[in-house]
Amino acid sequence: MHFIVEGGVPLRGSVSAQGAKNSAVHLMAATLLTADPVILENVPVIQDVFSMITLLREVGAEVSFDTARHRIIITSRKELKPEVSNPVAANLRASLSLAGPLLARAKQARIIFPGGCNIGARPVNYHLKGFQALGAEARLEDGYILVQGKRLAGRRIYLDYPSVGATVNLVCAATLAKGETILENVAEEPEIADLCNMLRKMGAKIRGAGTKMIQVRGVRQLHGTSHRVIPDRIEGGTYLVAAAITRGEIILKDTVPAHLEPLLVKLQEAGAQLETNKNKVHLRVLHRPKPVDIKTMPYPGFPTDLQNQMLILLCLAEGISLISETVFENRLLITSELRKMGADIQLHGGGAVIHGVESLHPAQVTAPNLRGGASLVLAALAACGLCEVDGVEHLDRGYEDMEGKLARLGARIRRIE
Ligand code: EPZ
């Protein structure tokens, strides 16, 4: 499956951000912490959500997804079968987030080792170490993650790295552990605060969400709730960069500008005119972008998930830019594809030196992964002429109706099955 894109058209108009993929998948896993129904609103209609539904049903949850209303209802009333071996899990990093809730609720979990994209090794040592600290047995065996523990006991845990997934797993496990758990050096991503907000509505006792330290006082059980997923800062940010690359003007609606701060600062440095209000960002770019330097970091640093998108903009900048990718070791895979389009990128260790060029020319390119694929579409939007972007199934994992949203902004793009 591929896209045919005729680039060179400035994007204009308004576009709404979808619900956050990297919140929705963790919220869906966390619903296993209660036997009551949990309703999630603003759930994006994307492949990773369907994959998560498959895994929830495998462990015994009842799941209904009203895609027209972006609403999911999950009830794991029955005895859970804490085994996840559906091959879908092997390609979904978020399947790891089932471990904490299953351990807390069913006292054990056996999950096929999740991969996700090819952006790096994606080890799980912080997850295993955290579960062990809570008194569980946790290990890797024959390509599975095994955790088990009759009674989890809260304690102080320091994360060697503010891992998003490990923070999700340990917060979930701690909600039903005995006593108090203090998690230090945790991830501060907005998706963590979103998870903690839902858990609190389910009766969990959590303080410090969105800060470096989260305190959880264990309770006996959690109850159902309904919760609206926060806007997707990565999907929304992707459209802002698309508008900047094509020197257009867009309004990104239904977003949280504060969550986009690291990106907005860099777009402004590159010469974008920006105005924000409560839930909108208005962006306009009239000239060739200026070069800027980017270093990816855990939130509130510049997000690694928007690094490839900014790489495209810098390929067209009036000067030399530097990118330093510190989160994943293999997140510049699209460099070879961009060189086919005339980009001038030198790779150095975990970073890149980009000499901006006047324009990119069309080529046939292949998406290596989710965010790299989205970024190649952005490159095609900037190239004057017809581009073919293969591997669109990667995009469908995390972008709801990408070609529809871009077409409504004036892009000439169509999907060829
Ligand atoms: C989440 O992945 C996101 N995925 C990623 O988005 C995002 O890039 C990443 O956080 C960082 O923000 C979901 O939320 C489903 P980490 P996660 O644990 O939890 C290393 C996308 O495109 N690490 O914070 O896997 C790891 O290898 C995806 O939407 C260990 O070494 O990220 C990486 O170098 C891509 N041991 C760094 O930490 C561990 O036990 C950050 O990983 C865990 C992680």
Side-chain angles (χ1 to χ4, degrees):
M1 185 157 39
H2 59 271
F3 282 152
I4 300 288
V5 181
E6 185 184 350
V9 179
L11 298 188
R12 295 195 193 296
S14 62
V15 61
S16 279
Q18 70 187 28
K21 164 180 98 73
N22 291 345
S23 185
V25 292
H26 299 309
L27 297 170
M28 289 168 72
T31 65
L32 294 178
L33 288 165
T34 178
D36 296 348
V38 178
I39 299 168
L40 296 177
E41 306 280 2
N42 196 34
V43 178
V45 181
I46 54 175
Q47 187 49 50
D48 276 12
V49 167
F50 289 112
S51 300
M52 204 62 190
I53 290 172
T54 302
L55 303 183
L56 287 168
R57 286 175 175 155
E58 185 184 1
V59 302
E62 288 161 35
V63 188
S64 65
F65 187 12
D66 178 342
T67 52
R69 297 167 70 181
H70 294 86
R71 170 185 294 166
I72 274 190
I73 303 178
I74 301 170
T75 315
S76 55
R77 204 187 319 280
K78 296 191 312 250
E79 201 53 37
L80 292 176
K81 181 181 77 63
E83 164 104 17
V84 177
S85 50
N86 187 304
V88 154
N91 301 314
L92 182 72
R93 177 71 180 181
S95 57
L96 196 45
S97 297
L98 294 165
L102 286 172
L103 175 61
R105 175 95 185 281
K107 315 295 177 212
Q108 61 180 315
R110 183 170 182 273
I111 301 174
I112 191 165
F113 188 75
C117 296
N118 48 13
I119 55 180
R122 315 288 302 258
V124 294
N125 52 318
Y126 305 145
H127 298 249
L128 301 179
K129 194 174 161 192
F131 288 139
Q132 288 159 2
L134 290 172
E137 278 177 53
R139 65 182 187 282
L140 278 182
E141 196 172 272
D142 304 334
Y144 278 80
I145 288 152
L146 302 172
V147 290
Q148 68 179 29
K150 288 270 170 288
R151 193 86 180 92
L152 300 179
R155 53 170 286 188
R156 180 180 288 273
I157 301 173
Y158 178 85
L159 279 184
D160 296 352
Y161 181 92
S163 153
V164 171
T167 304
V168 166
N169 255 331
L170 297 176
V171 165
C172 286
T175 58
L176 298 179
K178 189 163 160 296
E180 180 171 61
T181 300
I182 296 177
L183 299 170
E184 292 183 299
N185 193 32
V186 292
E188 298 174 274
E189 272 72 1
E191 293 77 26
I192 299 294
D194 199 28
L195 170 69
C196 292
N197 290 340
M198 183 185 80
L199 291 171
R200 272 204 294 259
K201 287 194 285 188
M202 292 166 69
K205 303 285 180 238
I206 301 176
R207 286 189 310 150
T211 72
K212 289 310 280 175
M213 184 169 88
I214 292 179
Q215 291 169 285
V216 183
R217 174 163 297 289
V219 294
R220 221 172 40 73
Q221 68 178 18
L222 298 182
H223 53 74
T225 189
S226 74
H227 182 77
R228 182 176 177 79
V229 181
I230 57 170
D232 194 320
R233 59 195 169 95
I234 306 302
E235 184 240 14
T238 302
Y239 293 112
L240 287 173
V241 179
I245 286 171
T246 57
R247 295 185 208 171
E249 175 172 6
I250 73 163
I251 294 179
L252 175 64
K253 300 186 299 185
D254 305 319
T255 185
V256 177
H259 294 168
L260 284 160
E261 185 66 14
L263 174 70
L264 300 183
V265 165
K266 288 298 168 182
L267 287 173
Q268 216 145 27
E269 274 180 40
Q273 294 169 11
L274 285 167
E275 283 156 51
T276 61
N277 75 7
K278 199 165 56 64
N279 60 2
K280 287 187 184 72
V281 175
H282 181 176
L283 170 139
R284 185 164 62 162
V285 171
L286 300 171
H287 310 294
R288 187 176 173 191
K290 299 189 189 76
V292 299
D293 295 342
I294 305 248
K295 180 173 184 177
T296 64
M297 299 287 282
Y299 196 88
F302 189 90
T304 174
D305 292 351
L306 282 168
Q307 179 260 94
N308 280 185
Q309 293 86 328
M310 280 302 281
L311 171 61
I312 312 303
L313 186 71
L314 300 180
C315 283
L316 294 162
E318 203 167 8
I320 298 174
S321 307
L322 300 177
I323 284 184
S324 167
E325 170 57 59
T326 71
V327 178
F328 287 109
E329 63 271 26
N330 208 9
R331 210 159 199 184
L332 284 157
L333 280 173
I334 56 170
T335 301
S336 55
E337 300 304 291
L338 292 173
R339 286 179 180 141
K340 290 181 193 169
M341 300 176 74
D344 180 349
I345 306 170
Q346 306 304 321
L347 295 179
H348 294 286
V353 177
I354 304 106
H355 292 248
V357 293
E358 277 280 343
S359 63
L360 294 174
H361 53 75
Q364 180 177 353
V365 291
T366 302
N369 52 48
L370 165 59
R371 305 300 175 188
S375 304
L376 288 175
V377 173
L378 268 49
L381 291 171
C384 293
L386 278 180
C387 264
E388 180 179 318
V389 181
D390 299 334
V392 168
E393 55 281 358
H394 287 291
L395 293 162
D396 293 339
R397 286 188 47 206
Y399 288 85
E400 180 177 336
D401 188 22
M402 183 175 212
E403 69 266 37
K405 288 192 174 187
L406 287 172
R408 286 190 288 280
L409 290 170
R412 296 195 191 111
I413 179 170
R414 61 196 162 86
R415 177 186 292 253
I416 312 287
E417 298 294 341

